Amino acid sequence: ASGAKRFLAGVPRRADAGASIPPNWQYHALDAGTDDGSWWTGDDGKGLEKSVASVERALVEQAAVGIVGHEQGATLAGIVAARSALGEGPRIKFAVLCGAAMPPPPHAALLHRLRDDSAAGAVQTLHCISPTDSDSAAVAACFGQEAETLFHDGGGAMPGPGWWEETRGYPERVTGGRFWCTQVGPARYYATGNMVM
């Protein structure tokens, strides 16, 4: 949980940003509802279908535009994003996957189908991974050339609060926002390409 708190601390707070800057990002944490926090058990993915349904139901109820997940939650978020891109689940605009592994069957086949389907709809994805994490890199490859990767040295941990800066305000940028705000140093606002003073 502390890794998620550090990660979310990177999202700028815009209380004093003025009317020309979009409102703060709002997020809602979902709990797996299990004693150990796992979304499924075993190599066969027992309970994974129920978890996918639960997350998709929450996305619809909250009118969410994106999803963020870590480790098992990242793998689950990848499945939800793939289903969205293939038109099999609720529509989302982006997913941030921190340390996602290839899911157990049959969901690995879902990601491979996404990789091979040139007609699939676009769900923008950001993959936060260690440079030596080949499993997460394989998941990123399933989302095609549009997938972005943020390499960090935290291994399986979520990246620190600097991720927002390093990705140029990823959620804001991929959902069509024209500006994003920084928390590092004095208040500065950027266009998605060049700095605006």
Side-chain angles (χ1 to χ4, degrees):
S2 66
K5 288 177 185 172
R6 286 188 59 235
F7 178 80
L8 291 172
V11 179
R13 290 156 194 72
R14 299 179 174 153
D16 62 349
S20 65
I21 302 300
N24 289 323
W25 279 90
Q26 296 180 12
Y27 48 86
H28 179 81
L30 296 178
D31 190 332
T34 59
D35 291 339
D36 63 358
S38 61
W39 289 98
W40 70 87
T41 58
D43 292 339
D44 61 350
K46 181 180 178 187
L48 186 51
E49 289 294 333
K50 181 180 175 185
S51 294
V52 168
S54 175
V55 169
E56 288 182 341
R57 187 171 42 258
L59 289 170
V60 170
E61 288 171 359
Q62 297 168 26
V65 296
I67 186 169
V68 177
H70 176 239
E71 292 183 337
Q72 256 199 355
T75 301
L76 177 60
I79 293 167
V80 169
R83 286 176 43 80
S84 177
L86 292 165
E88 299 173 12
R91 180 77 179 114
I92 59 172
K93 293 182 178 182
F94 74 90
V96 179
L97 311 178
C98 302
M102 193 59 73
H107 297 287
L110 174 82
L111 291 183
H112 293 143
R113 191 161 43 95
L114 174 66
R115 178 195 62 203
D116 299 336
D117 186 349
S118 61
V123 171
Q124 302 291 320
T125 55
L126 173 64
H127 303 264
C128 305
I129 60 177
S130 164
T132 59
D133 186 352
S134 59
D135 200 24
S136 290
V139 171
C142 292
F143 286 90
Q145 293 183 1
E146 295 293 317
E148 295 184 32
T149 304
L150 172 63
F151 291 105
H152 66 96
D153 294 327
M158 293 182 88
W163 75 275
W164 186 274
E165 300 294 323
E166 294 174 57
T167 64
R168 297 179 300 129
Y170 179 79
E172 190 73 36
R173 184 167 43 85
V174 300
T175 56
R178 210 179 96 192
F179 295 97
W180 61 280
C181 173
T182 178
Q183 287 189 158
V184 178
R188 297 174 292 183
Y189 305 99
Y190 297 83
T192 54
N194 301 318
M195 187 185 318
V196 174
M197 295 301 233

